Every structure is written in structure tokens, then in C-alpha cells.
């Protein structure tokens, strides 16, 4: 699932002045969310304070005494193998790697201790998009101005909460079954149980003493919601995204801790269904992981006109669930001074403070691997690095567990890259070419660097950075949909036409970003891509106009092939 995420650090708090609001009042301190880009946390983003907090809150995997007892007999490399490739974790990353491995002719097995599909399918990307599809329809039906512009009249729109929840659950079930069936159809063995590494190329599966060997092993165990110290989760009134996706209730007033991707998407859902939302953000601005210009526009469209207020520069140090007729209590402190700031009393609180790697109990100590704040250390080829800085032969780690980029499609791309390597073809994935999207209404998408990041890079490396922009108001298809609110932004090098980053806010931004991400992945320059032809009238012309508006000094490259006469 995606989301620039917010990490809330705990700190001591005390009471403060009271300010009235709606049914309840609010006064003082809380935890500090640190917003991180994309749907998860890059391990580089964790400071020492968070490291200690994260280590205290890391999820633990089952680890039996039988595993330790067996270690002395399982430290040597097996002479023959049960499988060419064994994947621990059947989420989107593991599934992508398994399918590519079969295509490459590898005998493959995948180990899953929970359910096939992992976080994305069961508790993330998939069910959240089902809820967002509902929120999008509700917004259209409730917007009299929008409907009248089309000459439409609709009576009062309503919804059935259980029906909405069932839609999300049914979609997750369908996709989960599709993934399972696709692997079975291709001959991938699905081994049920938690996988524990016993030694080189050896894995224990489940609570039995079954040991499986493989020439190469991929760790793809994913992540779970990160809950900072001081926050008490009851699954009803203080919840994580795992609980929120079940939509067991639609509270009148909900606080969302963190204004990254997860928080933004749920604010879209809750406000469309009638809730008031209060954001709690540790940094001084909302959506700090986005390009600043896009963030500013998104706040004007997604936050300001809706039933949303916010507190920035504060930590939620303590959150107590509703009980005995009392509301959820959220204590806030100033992020800089640590002085008490406010206390919120709300109906519910959603903790959208990022995700933590699910790596404990993997048996990494058996191969001398030490995690870094829970993340498995890897190199640019996803090869696992041990405590001495040496590569662990035949062992790889992909997806959220390595912390490079916590996105489902990034995990899949890393898995495919690993399979390429183990089948003899060197491959290094360019993470700057991997797009990210936030499925609000309108959507936000991006790939590559933000403008501040690009300018910093240009200063260090001595090149000029230019920016081009185009508005959705100039696009015929967007205007036909009465959706002209939007912006596309291109960050590039005018000397050679290299695309450094593209950011889009507007209708179907998540679909439009791929032309830019593919161009970055393939090394296509602006002076070449501006000759591409786009169907008219389509939203894709937003990118067409964007590339054409760039001022590049370099000339176009020679065509790849001669034109074909028709």
C-alpha cells in the first residue's frame, strides 16, 4: 500500500490549555510524526530516537526451541537441493519473483505463514482501493455543482457501511485466490508455515521439523503497521490501517496521526462517508514527502475545502482508546520544544505512522546477519550482507523487509531482478524509475526526484536544473470531465534532456505517471520523447504538452529504426 508515511515518536507530556471543538474538547501533547516518502519508510530515514522506539515495537515471528536445537546439524551447505529457488513470503514481491522464476525454468517453492497476497492484497493496496472507489463515487453523487454542470440531477446519495466493507473484503479475497491459483497452475509449491533460516541454503518450515533446501533463497516477509510507544491500540476506537480497511464503523470525528499516503487516502474515504477528520503531523507542513509545489496544491484541493483540520509540528505522545463512555484521548506536545500543546478528545484515532519490517524470527542470527532497525541489510542487487560486511552467498532480500522502497510494485521489481541474477544475467534495478501514487480524488503521482532534491543534486554535481509545468485546465479530456483542477511538473537537465523527476496532481494521475517512469527506466531523453504521438483527446496529452514545453539544448538522438511507409 502506498503512502508517504508519518512516524510518531513518543515523549513525555503534561496538560495544557483547552480549546473547544464540536462534541469534545482538546488541550495538550502527543507523538511526533516524521513523514517519509512513498508508502513506507526508507531505513536511512530513521534517526537514533526512532531506532530505539522501532526496535521496541518490532513484530515478532514464532520461533521454536526446536530450531535452535537443530542448528548444529544444519550449518553446512547441502550437496543437493530440493528447489532451485525458495521464497519466504507470498506477498506481491514473492509472487512476482515466483512467476518469473518459473518462466526462467527454476523449480520454485514459496513459504507463507499467513495468507497468500501479503499486506498489499489483504490489508493494503487492494482493499484500500475498493474503499477509495466508493469514496470517489460518493463525492461525485454528493457534488451538486459538478452534477449540474453535466445537466444531471440525482437524489440524495447514501451508502450501506456493511456493503462497502464487503466490497473491499470480496475484492481482497478474489485477488488472493487469483494469486494462489496462478502459482499452483505454474507448478510453484506453496509451503504453509513460517520460514526460519537454519544455515546456508536451509530453511525450516512451520512448527514441524521439516527442512527444505534451495540453491538460492529470497526473503520477502514484508512489513506490519508501526505503532509508536505511548499509543494503545484496541482495534475499535484506536486503530491501524489493518483495522480501518474492515470499515467496522464510520466515526463522526476521527484523528489521523500522519499525513502521508496512508493518512491522505483514509481522509478521502472518511470525509466522503461523512466523518470529520483531524490530521496530526510532526513536521511543520502537511504531506512533507511530496514535491512542495504539488503538496501545496493538494492541500488546497484535498484538505482545505473538506471537513478536515490539522495540527502540524506536534507529536502524539499518548493515545488512550474510548472506554467507560469517555472519548479517545490524544495528548499532543510541540515537536521542537516538547512542551504540552493540546489534548484532543475524538471518537476514533487512526495511526498512519508508517510500517515496520517483519523480520524477527527469521533465523538471521544463524547466518550472522544483523538487522538495522529491523531491516535486512542488502546491496544494490538485493544480496544480503552479514555482520562483517560480507555478502551471504545465495541469499537475497526484497521488498519492505529491506527498506529500500516500501512499495508493493517495488518489491515485485526487486524479486524479478533477483531472479535475473540467479539465472545468470546481471541486473541492477533503478529505484529512481519506480513510480508512486496516492489514490485520493484527484490522485497524486510521482517518479524520480522532487525539485529540492534535484537542485541539491545539481549543485553537488555541477549541472543546471530546469522545471516545466502544464495544467489540466489546458487538456480537452479533463475539461470534458469537468476535472480541470490539476498540475503536471517536469524536473530535468536542460543540457542533455535527462528526466530527473515528474510529479502529477489531477484526474488519473496514477495512470499517467508511467510514461515518465518508463522513460527514466529506459534512459529516454526529453528531446526524443517529445516526438511521441498521443491520441486526442486523452489525458495522456498532459504529459505530451509537458515534454514539449521543456527547453532542451541537446538535439534529438538518431531514430532507432527507419520509418515504415504505410
Amino acid at each position: 500500500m502506498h503512502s508517504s508515511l508519518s512516524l510518531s515518536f513518543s515523549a513525555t507530556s503534561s496538560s495544557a490549555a483547552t480549546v473547544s471543538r464540536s462534541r469534545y474538547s482538546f488541550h495538550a501533547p502527543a507523538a511526533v510524526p516524521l513523514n517519509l516518502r512513498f508508502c513506507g519508510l526508507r531505513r536511512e530515514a530513521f534517526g537514533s530516537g526512532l531506532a530505539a522506539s522501532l526496535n521496541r515495537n518490532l513484530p515478532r515471528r514464532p520461533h521454536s526451541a526446536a530450531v535452535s536445537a537443530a542448528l548444529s546439524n544444519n550449518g553446512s551447505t547441502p550437496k543437493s537441493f530440493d528447489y532451485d529457488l525458495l521464497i519466504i513470503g507470498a506477498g506481491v514481491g514473492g509472487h512476482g519473483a515466483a512467476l518469473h522464476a518459473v518462466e526462467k525454468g527454476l523449480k520454485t517453492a514459496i513459504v507463507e505463514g499467513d495468507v497468500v497476497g501479503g499486506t498489499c492484497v489483504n490489508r493494503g493496496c487492494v482493499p484500500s482501493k475498493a474503499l477509495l472507489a466508493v469514496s470517489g463515487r460518493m463525492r461525485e453523487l454528493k457534488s451538486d455543482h459538478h452534477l449540474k454542470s453535466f445537466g444531471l440531477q440525482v437524489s440524495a446519495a447514501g451508502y450501506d457501511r456493511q456493503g462497502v466493507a464487503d466490497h473491499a473484503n470480496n475484492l481482497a479475497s478474489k485477488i488472493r485466490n487469483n494469486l494462489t491459483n496462478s502459482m499452483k497452475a505454474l507448478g510453484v509449491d506453496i509451503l504453509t508455515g513460517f520460514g526460519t533460516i537454519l544455515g546456508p541454503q536451509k530453511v525450516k518450515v512451520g512448527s514441524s521439523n521439516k527442512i527444505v533446501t534451495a540453491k538460492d533463497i529470497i526473503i520477502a516477509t514484508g512489513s506490519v503497521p508501526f505503532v509508536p510507544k505511548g499509543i494503545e491500540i484496541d482495534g475499535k476506537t484506536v486503530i491501524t490501517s489493518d483495522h480501518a480497511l474492515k470499515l467496522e464503523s464510520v466515526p463522526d470525528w476521527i484523528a489521523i496521526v500522519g499525513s502521508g499516503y496512508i493518512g491522505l487516502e483514509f481522509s478521502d474515504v472518511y470525509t466522503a462517508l461523512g466523518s470529520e477528520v483531524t490530521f496530526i503531523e510532526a513536521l511543520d507542513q502537511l504531506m512533507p514527502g511530496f514535491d512542495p509545489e504539488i503538496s501545496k496544491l493538494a492541500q488546497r484541493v484535498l484538505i482545505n475545502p473538506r471537513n478536515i483540520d490539522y495540527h502540524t509540528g506536534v507529536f502524539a505522545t499518548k493515545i488512550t482508546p474510548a472506554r467507560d463512555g469517555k472519548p479517545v484521548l490524544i495528548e499532543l506536545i510541540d515537536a521542537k520544544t516538547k512542551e504540552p500543546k493540546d489534548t484532543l478528545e475524538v471518537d476514533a484515532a487512526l495511526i498512519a505512522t508508517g510500517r515496520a519490517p517483519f523480520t524477527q524470527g527469521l533465523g538471521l542470527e544463524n547466518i550472522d546477519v544483523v538487522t538495522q532497525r529491523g531491516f535486512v541489510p542488502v546491496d544494490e542487487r538485493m544480496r544480503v550482507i552479514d555482520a562483517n560486511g560480507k555478502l551471504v552467498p545465495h541469499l537475497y532480500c526484497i521488498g519492505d523487509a529491506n527498506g529500500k522502497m516500501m512499495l508493493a510494485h517495488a518489491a515485485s521489481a526487486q524479486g524479478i531482478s533477483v531472479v535475473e541474477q540467479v539465472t545468470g544475467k546481471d541486473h541492477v534495478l533503478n529505484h529512481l524509475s519506480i513510480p508512486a501514487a496516492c489514490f485520493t480524488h484527484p490522485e497524486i503521482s510521482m517518479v524520480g526526484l522532487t525539485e529540492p532534491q534535484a537542485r541539491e543534486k545539481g549543485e553537488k554535481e555541477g549541472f543546471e536544473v530546469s522545471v516545466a509545468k502544464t495544467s489540466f485546465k489546458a487538456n480537452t479530456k479533463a475539461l470534458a470531465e469537468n476535472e480541470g483542477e490539476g498540475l503536471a511538473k517536469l524536473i530535468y537537465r536542460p543540457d542533455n534532456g535527462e528526466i530527473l523527476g515528474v510529479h502529477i496532481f489531477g484526474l488519473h494521475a496514477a495512470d499517467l505517471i508511467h510514461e515518465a517512469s518508463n522513460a527514466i527506466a529506459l534512459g529516454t531523453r526529453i528531446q526524443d520523447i517529445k516526438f511521441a504521438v498521443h491520441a486526442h483527446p486523452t489525458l495522456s496529452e498532459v504529459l505530451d504538452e509537458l515534454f514539449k514545453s521543456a527547453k532542451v539544448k541537446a538535439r534529438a538522438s538518431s531514430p532507432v529504426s527507419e520509418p515504415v511507409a504505410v
Side-chain angles (χ1 to χ4, degrees), residues 21 86 90 93 98 113 190 212 267 279 284 294 301 317 320 340 372 434 464 466 533 554:
R21 184 194 196 283
L86 181 69
I190 301 176
V212 179
S267 76
F279 273 118
D284 291 332
I294 296 295
V301 177
T317 55
T320 306
Q372 299 173 0
I434 298 177
E464 184 184 349
S466 292
V533 180

Side-chain angles (χ1 to χ4, degrees), residues 2-320:
H2 339 229
S3 24
S4 165
L5 304 172
S6 288
L7 272 269
S8 291
F9 303 84
S10 299
T12 57
S13 61
S14 59
S15 60
T18 303
V19 181
S20 63
R21 184 194 196 283
S22 280
R23 299 164 45 195
Y24 304 124
S25 61
F26 50 92
H27 343 26
V32 181
L34 169 64
N35 281 268
L36 303 169
R37 193 172 176 203
F38 302 124
C39 308
L41 315 171
R42 292 174 179 272
R43 68 181 167 207
E44 295 89 346
F46 290 104
S48 58
L50 175 58
S53 176
L54 182 56
N55 285 332
R56 284 194 299 268
N57 290 277
L58 284 176
R60 298 184 177 275
R61 294 158 49 89
H63 186 71
S64 65
V67 175
S68 299
L71 293 184
S72 59
N73 299 321
N74 289 284
S76 59
T77 303
K79 296 180 180 179
S80 60
F81 304 100
D82 299 315
Y83 295 98
D84 296 316
L85 180 65
L86 181 69
I87 304 164
I88 305 175
V92 171
H95 175 265
L99 265 57
H100 195 56
V102 171
E103 181 184 332
K104 290 289 187 176
L106 301 183
K107 184 180 180 182
T108 305
I110 196 162
V111 179
E112 180 52 61
D114 187 16
V115 288
V116 170
T119 293
C120 177
V121 172
N122 299 288
R123 300 173 298 277
C125 327
V126 171
S128 68
K129 298 311 156 295
L131 296 183
L132 285 159
V134 173
S135 72
R137 301 297 192 280
M138 283 296 294
R139 291 192 185 283
E140 292 178 2
L141 294 173
K142 290 166 68 175
S143 175
D144 291 336
H145 174 74
H146 188 74
L147 291 172
K148 285 179 180 178
S149 68
F150 287 117
L152 299 176
Q153 294 180 352
V154 178
S155 58
Y159 68 92
D160 170 51
R161 182 200 56 78
Q162 189 57 54
V164 175
D166 289 344
H167 172 54
N169 183 61
N170 292 340
L171 179 63
S173 297
K174 182 177 182 179
I175 301 301
R176 180 170 60 248
N177 290 336
N178 287 347
L179 295 185
T180 303
N181 293 336
S182 67
M183 289 192 291
K184 288 181 177 178
L186 291 173
V188 176
D189 288 345
I190 301 176
L191 311 179
T192 302
F194 288 94
T196 304
I197 298 170
L198 298 179
Q201 300 167 298
K202 293 182 181 180
V203 173
K204 176 179 174 292
V205 178
S207 57
S208 66
N209 289 318
K210 181 178 181 180
I211 297 174
V212 179
T213 61
K215 182 179 179 183
D216 293 288
I217 296 171
I218 297 177
I219 297 169
T221 48
S223 63
V224 295
F226 171 72
V227 180
K229 184 182 178 182
I231 297 177
E232 182 183 346
I233 301 292
D234 68 349
K236 298 294 182 182
T237 60
V238 181
I239 60 178
T240 67
S241 57
D242 284 2
H243 307 107
L245 289 167
K246 298 176 183 177
L247 202 71
E248 293 182 348
S249 67
V250 179
D252 291 336
W253 183 11
I254 183 168
I256 300 179
V257 184
S259 65
Y261 287 60
I262 296 174
L264 278 177
E265 289 186 349
F266 275 107
S267 76
D268 195 289
V269 171
Y270 281 120
T271 53
L273 299 182
S275 300
E276 292 183 62
V277 169
T278 296
F279 273 118
I280 298 171
E281 172 57 56
L283 299 186
D284 291 332
Q285 65 179 53
L286 295 175
M287 299 173 278
F290 297 86
D291 181 86
E293 189 170 7
I294 296 295
S295 177
K296 184 178 179 180
L297 176 59
Q299 181 170 336
R300 181 168 65 81
V301 177
L302 300 177
I303 305 294
N304 297 347
R306 299 179 180 177
N307 290 328
I308 299 175
D309 66 0
Y310 51 88
H311 298 262
T312 56
V314 295
F315 290 162
T317 55
K318 185 177 182 180
I319 300 181
T320 306

Side-chain angles (χ1 to χ4, degrees), residues 454-467:
R455 294 200 181 281
E456 181 181 357
K457 181 180 175 68
E459 273 189 34
K460 288 182 179 178
E461 299 181 14
F463 61 81
E464 184 184 349
V465 173
S466 292
V467 173

Side-chain angles (χ1 to χ4, degrees), residues 463-466 492-498 525-527 530 550-556:
F463 61 81
E464 184 184 349
V465 173
S466 292
Y492 66 100
R493 288 182 58 167
D495 60 334
N496 63 9
E498 179 185 358
R525 301 299 168 115
I526 294 170
Q527 59 267 33
K530 64 168 52 179
K551 308 299 181 184
V552 179
K553 300 171 185 176
R555 294 183 177 182

Side-chain angles (χ1 to χ4, degrees), residues 516-527:
S517 65
N518 289 337
I520 293 175
L522 297 173
T524 307
R525 301 299 168 115
I526 294 170
Q527 59 267 33

